[in-house]
Amino acid sequence: MTFLYAMATLWPKVKRIYITLFSFESICTPAVKGHRLVYVRQASLLLLFCFIMFSNAYAQSVGERADAGLTDLKPLQIGDTIPEVLWNLPLQVVNHPDGKDTITMNDYRNRKLIILDFWATWCAPCIKSVKHIDSLISVLNARDVSLLPVNRYDNEKRMQTFMEKTGWTFPSVINNKPLDEILMASYRDYLGVVWILDGRLFAVPRNESITRENIKALLAGRHDEVTISNYPLRTN
């Protein structure tokens, strides 16, 4: 009874604070000097907004991974073998030379080295990186290397517009957060490059490590000659 009495006594005050913080009228009321509760309300709304945005993004990411059957798959570490479910993950692709809408990494599995370059249309260094890697592969005439750009930030319409304006000739994976999160989550601050060698996550190199000499050494099996500036090579 004491608890019920306390609740009955406090409820009007709690209700008044709730209405003050979250009612539409209160939200639209400008802050007034001396009204401390208004500032509390505004701070609370900001925190609530941030929480909702984070929750939605997290729920979307979890949902995508669940749909792809990747719920229990943790971000890979250097040296880890690429799991079969990732090889066979359907990847939406644009600008494919054969007109395909969907591919898998398994399509490139016969290549010794697979280079995934994560990029965005608004990231000038990323665009430069894709072109740089393509030029290295061409110079080396490396048939055992596949370059696959991966874009997770732009929608298909924006991608098509960008490609038409710039004459972009590369295919690109699009709308695939799980691929990014599993391969890159442990090793990047934003965007970057992933090397998959002989079916394993070999390295996540910075631009200065993506050289003709390094790629040539990888293809020749001389792993000890490869220099990576930030993250270690695979451990075995």
Side-chain angles (χ1 to χ4, degrees):
M1 291 298 292
T2 303
F3 173 77
L4 293 176
Y5 176 78
M7 287 297 295
T9 303
L10 292 175
W11 170 245
K13 296 181 181 179
V14 173
K15 182 178 179 181
R16 184 165 59 252
I17 293 173
Y18 177 84
I19 293 174
T20 302
L21 288 173
F22 301 111
S23 69
F24 179 80
E25 181 180 357
S26 296
I27 291 173
C28 296
T29 302
V32 180
K33 184 177 180 180
H35 291 190
R36 295 182 180 180
L37 188 58
V38 174
Y39 295 103
V40 173
R41 180 187 68 239
Q42 292 176 341
S44 300
L45 288 174
L46 179 60
L47 291 174
L48 178 63
F49 174 77
C50 294
F51 174 77
I52 291 173
M53 292 295 291
F54 174 80
S55 298
N56 287 341
Y58 178 77
Q60 183 181 6
S61 176
V62 171
E64 290 179 359
R65 293 186 65 171
D67 292 341
L70 305 173
T71 306
D72 299 327
L73 197 58
K74 297 180 180 179
L76 299 183
Q77 305 296 320
I78 299 299
D80 286 350
T81 299
I82 306 299
E84 286 298 322
V85 65
L86 201 61
W87 284 113
N88 297 299
L89 178 68
L91 306 172
Q92 183 183 353
V93 67
V94 295
N95 208 40
H96 193 276
D98 297 330
K100 294 181 179 180
D101 296 323
T102 305
I103 61 173
T104 66
M105 286 209 310
N106 199 55
D107 298 338
Y108 304 89
R109 200 168 185 172
N110 62 333
R111 303 299 176 93
K112 186 177 183 64
L113 175 64
I114 301 174
I115 302 176
L116 302 180
D117 198 343
F118 292 82
W119 72 290
T121 59
W122 39 261
C123 177
C126 305
I127 296 169
K128 184 178 180 180
S129 172
V130 172
K131 294 180 178 180
H132 171 64
I133 295 172
D134 179 68
S135 66
L136 289 179
I137 295 173
S138 299
V139 169
L140 291 170
N141 193 25
R143 298 181 180 180
D144 289 335
V145 183
S146 285
L147 168 63
L148 185 59
V150 180
N151 187 313
R152 63 163 286 188
Y153 295 96
D154 298 297
N155 58 40
E156 187 172 358
K157 183 178 180 180
R158 186 180 301 169
M159 291 272 288
Q160 294 291 358
T161 300
F162 168 83
M163 290 175 176
E164 291 173 3
K165 287 184 177 180
T166 62
W168 181 273
T169 59
F170 310 100
S172 180
V173 172
I174 186 174
N175 297 333
N176 198 282
K177 292 182 181 179
L179 184 64
D180 187 7
E181 292 172 351
I182 293 170
L183 290 176
M184 293 288 290
S186 301
Y187 298 102
R188 67 150 167 77
D189 298 322
Y190 214 59
L191 300 166
V193 176
V194 168
W195 281 349
I196 298 176
L197 182 69
D198 295 331
R200 294 192 178 192
L201 179 58
F202 184 83
V204 182
R206 293 193 185 278
N207 289 336
E208 58 266 26
S209 300
I210 305 172
T211 64
R212 177 179 177 178
E213 291 72 23
N214 275 344
I215 293 178
K216 193 173 181 179
L218 284 176
L219 297 178
R222 301 193 304 270
H223 303 167
D224 57 326
E225 297 180 12
V226 179
T227 303
I228 302 296
S229 60
N230 52 338
Y231 301 118
L233 306 180
R234 70 183 190 187
T235 56
N236 57 359

